[in-house]
Amino acid sequence: MNFEVVVTCAVTGAGDTTGRSPHVPVTPRQVADAAIEAAKAGAAIAHIHVRDPETGKGSRDVGLFEEAVALVRESDTDVVINLTAGMGGDWSPSTDDPAMPGPGTDMIGPEDRLAHVKACLPEICSLDCGTLNFSDTDDIYISTPPTLRRMAGLVKEWGVKPELEVFDLGHIRFAKQMVEEGLIADPPMFQLCLGIPWGADQTVETMAAMKAQLPSGASWASFGISRMQMPMLAAAVAMGGNVRVGLEDNIYLDRGVLATNGQLVTRAVEIIERMGGRAVTPQEARNKLKLRGADG
């Protein structure tokens, strides 16, 4: 059981959710306000994507990241900033020639994937530790070992803690290899991502199996998506982990009731407290996770 829980709120993501809920933030101002709202509700960490303000689609525009991060930092609300570094690995083969990229493909190198991280220098950025069939379509998310090693080395050089996002056991295996190679600063920080098609299923048994493969001394969190967001939260706390909620992973508070990020964090904190724990502050999270801004 984890009695001192780090709550992350993933405030917007890059998925096609803007048409399904008016609460999904789109503009940098809305993304920043969502991060601030989440922090005031009890989240220690805000996991941030940005979106094209015109289309609402996920974006990797460095300027949009800089604007959103500046707005959060200029506010009077403390929160640990965790920027996605998952953009730029999308491959969709052409129907005419599967050897060539089709519509939706966005493939760039490791330096470009981290351009916004270098510009903003958050305390945390995500690092998706493997390739994945991301839906029932031909779309693939690609993250190869050479790319991941390069990205890990760069963020370590910049003093940014990589959140090792793992969607299957093989991803954990490679993340542990990077730890052994000295590419990841101690203690490594894992996020067990459950329920994403076609990665690990969102069950207690799957979470336990993945937790069992983590290296000694690692910190870890987990999340589920849609209606399994809160059940997986409770399971993670019971198993000793930290948690993630937010509109990136689930847009509903209850059946048929659309949520805000603040409401999802409030629900998460209520569950943690009913289990006998508490949500830690941003500074306590920095200390616990050994982030750049930790005391001492």
Side-chain angles (χ1 to χ4, degrees):
M1 172 75 187
N2 184 8
F3 294 99
E4 307 286 327
V5 183
V6 179
V7 177
T8 293
C9 185
V11 298
T12 188
D16 185 21
T17 51
T18 54
R20 296 192 286 131
S21 171
H23 303 307
V24 176
V26 174
T27 68
R29 175 79 264 179
Q30 290 170 344
V31 170
D33 286 346
I36 294 164
E37 174 197 17
K40 290 182 175 178
I45 300 172
H47 178 61
I48 294 176
H49 290 244
V50 295
R51 293 176 179 269
D52 184 321
E54 299 299 322
T55 66
K57 294 183 178 180
S59 173
R60 52 181 175 81
D61 185 293
V62 174
L64 295 175
F65 276 104
E66 288 179 316
E67 184 178 351
V69 169
L71 288 167
V72 175
R73 287 174 171 164
E74 291 165 3
S75 74
D76 60 355
T77 303
D78 186 25
V79 66
V80 175
I81 293 174
N82 174 349
L83 296 186
T84 181
M87 309 295 286
D90 300 315
W91 174 268
S92 183
S94 168
T95 53
D96 296 327
D97 182 358
M100 301 300 294
T105 296
D106 180 32
M107 287 296 301
I108 55 176
E111 286 82 5
D112 288 333
R113 289 196 194 191
L114 291 171
H116 61 295
V117 175
K118 184 178 183 180
C120 298
L121 291 180
E123 291 171 84
I124 303 171
C125 73
S126 64
L127 194 61
D128 299 333
C129 290
T131 298
L132 185 70
N133 293 325
F134 222 67
S135 68
D136 270 340
T137 69
D138 282 332
D139 295 343
I140 302 168
Y141 179 76
I142 298 177
S143 237
T144 64
T147 291
L148 286 166
R149 285 187 170 99
R150 177 62 176 158
M151 292 175 73
L154 287 171
V155 298
K156 184 178 182 183
E157 176 185 326
W158 300 336
V160 178
K161 171 78 77 171
E163 179 186 54
L164 303 168
E165 293 204 340
V166 291
F167 298 80
D168 224 331
L169 288 172
H171 295 180
I172 297 177
R173 183 182 179 190
F174 182 71
K176 288 164 67 175
Q177 180 63 32
M178 289 196 293
V179 171
E180 291 178 9
E181 292 173 8
L183 292 169
I184 308 295
D186 286 330
M189 176 183 176
F190 284 79
Q191 180 73 259
L192 311 184
C193 307
L194 306 181
I196 305 295
W198 284 106
D201 197 8
Q202 45 191 350
T203 65
V204 172
E205 293 81 3
T206 300
M207 188 185 296
M210 295 178 77
K211 179 200 170 185
Q213 295 301 314
L214 299 179
S216 176
S219 66
W220 68 280
S222 188
F223 70 84
I225 64 172
S226 192
R227 65 180 180 179
M228 293 302 289
Q229 184 170 80
M230 296 304 168
M232 291 298 97
L233 177 147
V237 174
M239 290 187 199
N242 299 306
V243 300
R244 169 173 136 174
V245 294
L247 294 179
E248 175 173 351
D249 307 319
N250 164 48
I251 61 173
Y252 292 101
L253 184 66
D254 294 303
R255 187 179 180 88
V257 180
L258 292 171
T260 67
N261 282 295
Q263 288 172 331
L264 291 173
V265 173
T266 296
R267 177 69 57 85
V269 172
E270 289 171 349
I271 293 171
I272 292 164
E273 291 178 345
R274 286 178 179 270
M275 294 177 71
R278 71 177 184 92
V280 303
T281 68
Q283 189 56 49
E284 289 172 326
R286 292 183 182 100
N287 298 341
K288 186 173 184 176
L289 301 172
K290 304 288 193 297
L291 302 181
R292 187 175 64 240
D295 290 337

